[in-house]
Amino acid sequence: MANLVIIGMQWGDEGKGKIVDLICPAFDAVARFQGGHNAGHTVKFGDQHFSLHLIPSGILHPEMRCVLGSGMVIAPDAFLSERDGLRAGGIDDRDRLFLSSRATVLLPCHAALDQARERARGDAAIGTTSRGIGPAYESRAGRYGLRLVDLLAPDLEERLDRLVGMVGGHLAAAGGDERLEVAPLLEQCRRWADELAPAICDTEALLAGWLAAGKGLLFEGAQGTLLDRDHGTYPFVTSSNCTTGGAAVGAGVPPTRIDGAVGILKAYSTRVGAGPFVTELHDEAGEFLRSRGNEFGTTTGRPRRCGWLDLVAGRFSQRLNGIDAIALTKLDVLDDLDEIKVCTAYRIDGRETQEFPASLHDLERAEPVYRSLPGWRQGTVGALERRQLPAAAQAYIEFIEGEIGATVDLISTGPRREETIVSTEGPLAALLGDRLEGVLAERSAG
């Protein structure tokens, strides 16, 4: 049974939640391996609509087991609110939602520090979600953070005292005037411990047991490759590794047990927050993509910056992640356009390159080299086979495949589960084997 990673190929917001939800029936468990509640996954099927931030999309399937891995930072209040919202919507998580005892606890003081630093940066602000993700990872790297298992430790007060002292010093240096006190935080942590204890466990051992039993695992990434801490548009990145390499570390499984990767690629490009964006549009075309694609953050509600598809970035993502198959999302957003542009290279100081630069300076000066393709001016929503798409839409997809060097095996033509083309040939079908039938049945069920 194949074990796969789902990875965003751009700056996040590619539609990973929908794809995870769709292909879940081919697996026995879903594991999230990095990030925190700065993520936002939207899943729609039938007349139901769920927005998820911490809990994997697989939770919407009654038999699916879900893991929040050790590579995550988990805000207990955000997790409990999300879990309770799912329960209110009829989704029962009991005995199938597991939290890694090694995951880092994100506390309110982390968010206060995040916000203070963004204010202090002024015009140079990174554009974080201000949820405290970066400071929580910083406390883990600095070895003064709390892990979920520490909420149950007898020396919790001592650990909190050290953490509050460290964060308080950083907060003061950033100009924050919040007063941090241990006593109310200790009381809050003990309440969280009571609520979370049934779900906290050694998820590494759990996943190892499932692998030994031949279970299929799906690893769900958050954010996207270009926000990866090491390989993204640094310093305008997130604080975790959201590439396939992060899956093994953040879930606690051997990399040799991961069999393939599916890259999620939006049919155009979007970005939230500051940072270089070579194909960004500041005209009517950009506003059309934002409005037609409903490009507003699931987590923050912020309008996303929009631009044409960047295949320089796409090739970089494919190579870095070892992507076997692509899921192309939001193709239908392009349905009404006469002309569609695609960036195939960058021009920097008069010289063309097809490589994605590491230098922020180069990225900020890069100009897109576009290839213009004809639009199709026809609806694609509801198509269930690739051959049903307009000829120009098929040509657009084939162009992407040729440029990136991977096949498009899934095509999303609308926000709902049932609005997806699923290839019965190609790398994804080969990896899923006879479990592909379950995916097709799930799509048909809506």
Side-chain angles (χ1 to χ4, degrees):
M1 180 60 205
N3 305 304
L4 299 184
V5 184
I6 296 288
I7 288 292
M9 295 180 68
Q10 295 153 306
W11 286 277
D13 307 310
E14 300 97 346
K16 295 180 291 297
K18 173 185 174 176
I19 301 303
V20 170
D21 172 67
L22 175 69
I23 69 174
C24 267
F27 300 88
D28 299 293
V30 181
R32 170 102 180 262
F33 57 88
Q34 48 77 218
H37 64 309
N38 56 335
H41 290 169
T42 301
V43 179
K44 296 181 180 180
F45 53 91
D47 59 355
Q48 293 185 288
H49 178 186
F50 294 92
S51 294
L52 302 170
H53 303 277
L54 280 164
I55 300 173
S57 308
I59 199 68
L60 302 177
H61 297 257
E63 304 302 320
M64 189 63 55
R65 290 166 287 189
C66 296
V67 168
L68 276 64
S70 59
M72 294 183 66
V73 291
I74 298 174
D77 51 355
F79 171 80
L80 291 169
S81 175
E82 188 171 320
R83 185 204 66 181
D84 292 346
L86 285 168
R87 289 180 178 180
I91 307 299
D92 188 358
D93 63 280
R94 293 170 180 84
D95 299 322
R96 62 188 192 92
L97 181 58
F98 307 94
L99 307 178
S100 171
S101 54
R102 295 177 173 88
T104 295
V105 180
L106 191 157
L107 299 169
C109 58
H110 290 127
L113 177 56
D114 198 357
Q115 293 157 21
R117 284 175 170 169
E118 282 290 87
R119 289 194 300 268
R121 291 185 181 107
D123 292 340
I126 291 173
T128 74
T129 58
S130 296
R131 301 290 178 91
I133 307 300
Y137 274 112
E138 182 181 331
S139 69
R140 175 157 74 182
R143 295 183 287 275
Y144 60 87
L146 284 181
R147 300 187 299 172
L148 284 178
V149 70
D150 298 328
L151 294 178
L152 310 172
D155 61 345
L156 174 60
E157 185 172 4
E158 180 183 335
R159 294 171 184 267
L160 273 177
D161 188 65
R162 182 164 181 260
L163 184 149
V164 166
M166 295 291 290
V167 173
H170 293 313
L171 189 57
D177 56 4
E178 290 87 343
R179 183 178 177 182
L180 304 182
E181 297 182 2
V182 173
L185 187 55
L186 176 62
E187 183 181 346
Q188 190 172 39
C189 282
R190 284 174 172 159
R191 288 198 303 268
W192 286 335
D194 290 339
E195 284 266 14
L196 297 175
I200 297 174
C201 67
D202 184 344
T203 56
E204 289 84 358
L206 194 66
L207 292 170
W210 291 343
L211 287 170
K215 304 294 185 183
L217 305 183
L218 183 64
F219 299 92
E220 176 180 342
Q223 288 84 48
T225 298
L226 302 181
L227 291 177
D228 183 87
R229 182 186 64 192
D230 296 320
H231 302 287
T233 52
Y234 186 88
F236 299 96
V237 294
T238 193
S239 300
S240 60
N241 289 117
C242 33
T243 48
T244 52
V249 176
V253 300
T256 51
R257 298 306 305 271
I258 297 175
D259 302 299
V262 177
I264 315 302
L265 184 75
K266 193 179 289 186
Y268 50 97
S269 300
T270 64
R271 175 165 200 168
V272 172
F277 184 1
V278 176
T279 65
E280 183 173 10
L281 296 169
H282 300 280
D283 56 11
E284 290 182 1
E287 185 54 42
F288 170 84
L289 293 174
R290 183 178 301 109
S291 175
R292 178 69 180 268
N294 191 29
E295 295 296 350
F296 299 89
T298 303
T299 298
T300 64
R302 289 182 292 179
R304 296 172 184 145
R305 300 157 63 191
C306 297
W308 297 118
L309 181 60
D310 184 342
L311 292 180
V312 178
R315 286 191 293 266
F316 173 72
S317 294
Q318 192 281 329
R319 183 179 69 229
L320 186 63
N321 291 298
I323 288 167
D324 300 285
I326 294 171
L328 187 68
T329 61
K330 292 201 169 184
L331 182 70
D332 56 299
V333 172
L334 307 180
D335 283 355
D336 292 335
L337 295 175
D338 293 311
E339 178 189 41
I340 301 168
K341 293 184 178 181
V342 181
C343 174
T344 58
Y346 295 161
R347 185 176 292 110
I348 304 172
D349 296 335
R351 300 181 65 180
E352 281 193 20
T353 179
Q354 293 193 341
E355 296 298 324
F356 193 77
S359 165
L360 182 67
H361 183 58
D362 286 347
L363 279 169
E364 289 174 335
R365 291 180 297 122
E367 300 174 354
V369 176
Y370 284 124
R371 169 80 174 267
S372 291
L373 300 174
W376 41 91
R377 300 287 295 177
Q378 292 177 251
T380 59
V381 176
L384 294 181
E385 295 184 30
R386 186 157 159 174
R387 61 182 176 81
Q388 295 175 336
L389 295 173
Q394 294 185 49
Y396 182 70
I397 296 167
E398 290 165 5
F399 183 78
I400 292 171
E401 291 175 323
E403 287 286 317
I404 290 182
T407 64
V408 174
D409 287 356
L410 295 169
I411 305 168
S412 174
T413 59
R416 289 178 167 74
R417 183 189 292 164
E418 57 268 29
E419 295 169 332
T420 314
I421 296 171
V422 180
S423 173
T424 56
E425 301 177 350
L428 181 60
L431 285 164
L432 296 183
D434 57 9
R435 292 204 174 192
L436 179 64
E437 292 301 319
V439 174
L440 295 171
E442 187 69 19
R443 180 193 64 177
S444 300

